[in-house]
């Protein structure tokens, strides 16, 4: 992994940490409430981010061996995986999100340099170098964090992500979140977020995400 890829990997780690810090204080009722994506609850959004990590890991495993490996078995399997994940209780769903992120990170950190140039696809996308997968993952985590509708929005994006020169359709997807009306604060006060688990760039993501503090 070269310096550019490592920087993106570190940004993905930090974005994942922020998402987990927010998602893990949502109650069961909060998770079953509608997200900002039509037809999806917050649990669906979290499950989608987890299944996206699995899909990208599948693609990178293929790149490592020089084989074209599908991200998902099929579009139907993708939808079924999200539905199944969304049906988990809060603790299992948070573990799913963390474990899938760690599994993707492990494969990415160990990928040979030459494998990053292997051409891959996500569902019906055009082929692109595996090197762009970490950018796509960063976009997935940051944008869907906003979609939870739990207080995190474009104003909370790190400057590096807000200014990142993205190709389409990611550029338009980010612009869509910027133009979305922000929800009014909820009437009930939310519990204070738990402090982030100790973590430094380049080190494994903390398992203490999933443990009560």
């Amino acid at each position: 992994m070269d310096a550019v890829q490592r920087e993106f990997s570190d940004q993905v780690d930090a974005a994942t940490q922020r998402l987990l810090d927010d998602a893990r204080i949502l109650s069961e009722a909060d998770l079953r409430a509608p997200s900002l994506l039509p037809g999806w609850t917050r649990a669906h959004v979290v499950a989608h981010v987890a299944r996206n990590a699995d899909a990208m890991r599948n693609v990178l495993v293929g790149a490592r061996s020089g084989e074209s490996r599908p991200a998902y078995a099929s579009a139907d399997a993708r939808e079924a995986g999200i539905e199944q994940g969304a049906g988990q209780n809060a603790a299992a769903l948070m573990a799913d999100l963390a474990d899938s992120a760690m599994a993707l990170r492990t494969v990415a950190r160990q990928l040979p340099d030459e494998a990053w140039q292997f051409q891959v696809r996500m569902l019906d996308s055009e082929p692109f170098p595996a090197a762009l997968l970490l950018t796509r993952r960063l976009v997935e985590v940051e944008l869907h964090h906003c979609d939870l509708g739990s207080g995190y929005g474009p104003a909370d994006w790190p400057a590096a992500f807000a200014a990142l020169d993205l190709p389409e359709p990611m550029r338009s997807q980010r612009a869509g979140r910027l133009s979305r009306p922000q929800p009014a604060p909820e009437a009930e006060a939310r519990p204070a977020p738990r402090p982030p688990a100790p973590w430094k760039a380049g080190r494994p993501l903390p398992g203490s995400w999933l443990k009560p503090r």
Side-chain angles (χ1 to χ4, degrees):
M1 178 178 280
D2 64 19
V4 173
Q5 290 299 97
R6 185 169 292 276
E7 172 62 24
F8 273 112
S9 182
D10 288 346
Q11 289 184 50
V12 171
D13 287 350
T16 302
Q17 178 79 72
R18 289 190 294 273
L19 174 59
L20 273 160
D21 284 341
D22 282 354
R24 68 182 178 176
I25 64 170
L26 296 175
S27 67
E28 290 286 350
D30 289 334
L31 286 168
R32 309 308 154 190
S35 72
L36 300 184
L37 293 178
W40 271 11
T41 64
R42 287 172 173 144
H44 282 95
V45 173
V46 174
H48 168 68
V49 176
R51 297 291 72 78
N52 172 263
D54 290 344
M56 290 189 172
R57 176 170 53 84
N58 287 340
V59 167
L60 287 184
V61 168
R64 185 173 60 195
S65 59
E67 300 175 359
S68 294
R69 185 166 177 169
Y72 303 91
S74 67
D76 287 343
R78 172 182 176 273
E79 295 303 318
I82 293 170
E83 286 294 336
Q84 182 178 9
Q88 299 176 101
N89 63 34
L93 187 55
M94 294 308 108
D96 190 8
L97 179 61
D99 290 348
S100 59
M102 177 61 82
L104 170 61
R105 183 185 192 274
T106 299
V107 172
R109 290 278 177 158
Q110 297 175 353
L111 200 70
D113 289 345
E114 63 274 12
W116 289 108
Q117 300 309 312
F118 188 78
Q119 295 289 303
V120 299
R121 299 179 67 170
M122 291 293 292
L123 283 177
D124 57 354
S125 75
E126 292 296 320
F128 59 89
L132 290 178
L133 269 176
L134 291 182
T135 303
R136 294 175 74 107
R137 178 61 180 174
L138 180 61
V139 171
E140 285 282 328
V141 175
E142 288 289 5
L143 299 194
H144 288 311
H145 193 168
C146 296
D147 295 335
L148 284 181
S150 59
Y152 186 87
D156 300 301
W157 288 338
F161 176 73
L164 188 61
D165 185 15
L166 296 173
E168 292 293 354
M170 292 184 284
R171 183 186 299 117
S172 293
Q173 291 166 350
R174 183 179 58 187
R177 271 64 174 191
L178 282 166
S179 62
R180 173 194 285 162
Q182 296 302 300
E186 296 183 7
E188 295 184 4
R190 286 198 173 280
R194 302 176 191 177
W199 175 77
K200 293 181 179 179
R203 297 181 60 186
L205 300 183
S208 54
W209 275 342
L210 306 179
K211 299 174 185 177
R213 297 182 66 87

